[in-house]
Amino acid sequence: MRERHRSLQRLLRVKAQLHQIDEAKLGEIQRRRILVEEEKRALLRMLGDVEKNDSFILGLACRHLIQSERREIDLAAEESAQKAQLLQRSAQKKTLEKIVKETAVSIAREDEKLQLLDIGESLAARASSSLP
């Protein structure tokens, strides 16, 4: 039982690390998505100033805007998938935490039973030796 508990604790540490990695990945995806959105806003501002820019630059800006839109859609899908994975790992981690806690309680009960048995045996040994 104790070996199982140690194994479960190791597994829980691994799950916690994977959870942290998933959170970091999600943060990175969100950071990249914000950058793409800012880039897109800058391009839209540039397109709004038709008088200041020539048609070649505006054409390039339009193409770049389309690419930014595609990247934003890809990042949104990637963010959604990462959130789903994060939720799944969170659920696994919570379940494992519950199992580790239950195992620790079982070990504590076993220890208490052994202590009570030791106390009972020592009391029984004293009682039989004091009768002669």
Short mmCIF file of all heavy atoms in Angstrom, two decimals, residues 61 103 115 121 125 129:
data_model
loop_
_atom_site.label_atom_id
_atom_site.label_comp_id
_atom_site.label_asym_id
_atom_site.label_seq_id
_atom_site.Cartn_x
_atom_site.Cartn_y
_atom_site.Cartn_z
N ALA A 61 -0.41 45.69 -47.79
CA ALA A 61 -1.07 45.70 -46.48
C ALA A 61 -2.31 44.82 -46.49
O ALA A 61 -2.58 44.11 -45.52
CB ALA A 61 -1.42 47.13 -46.08
N THR A 103 -5.64 7.13 -0.39
CA THR A 103 -4.59 6.17 -0.07
C THR A 103 -3.87 6.56 1.22
O THR A 103 -3.58 5.69 2.06
CB THR A 103 -3.57 6.08 -1.23
OG1 THR A 103 -4.26 5.80 -2.43
CG2 THR A 103 -2.55 4.99 -0.99
N GLN A 115 -0.84 0.03 15.61
CA GLN A 115 -0.52 0.57 16.93
C GLN A 115 -1.46 0.01 17.99
O GLN A 115 -1.03 -0.35 19.09
CB GLN A 115 -0.61 2.10 16.92
CG GLN A 115 0.53 2.77 16.19
CD GLN A 115 0.34 4.30 16.10
OE1 GLN A 115 -0.73 4.81 16.39
NE2 GLN A 115 1.40 4.97 15.69
N GLU A 121 -1.45 -6.24 22.44
CA GLU A 121 -0.53 -7.35 22.71
C GLU A 121 0.33 -7.07 23.94
O GLU A 121 0.57 -7.96 24.76
CB GLU A 121 0.37 -7.60 21.49
CG GLU A 121 -0.35 -8.26 20.34
CD GLU A 121 0.53 -8.39 19.10
OE1 GLU A 121 1.70 -7.97 19.13
OE2 GLU A 121 0.03 -8.92 18.11
N ALA A 125 0.25 -9.27 27.28
CA ALA A 125 1.47 -9.89 27.78
C ALA A 125 1.67 -9.53 29.25
O ALA A 125 2.08 -10.37 30.06
CB ALA A 125 2.67 -9.43 26.95
N SER A 129 1.53 -12.29 32.62
CA SER A 129 2.74 -12.47 33.40
C SER A 129 2.55 -12.06 34.86
O SER A 129 3.29 -12.48 35.73
CB SER A 129 3.91 -11.69 32.78
OG SER A 129 3.62 -10.31 32.83
#
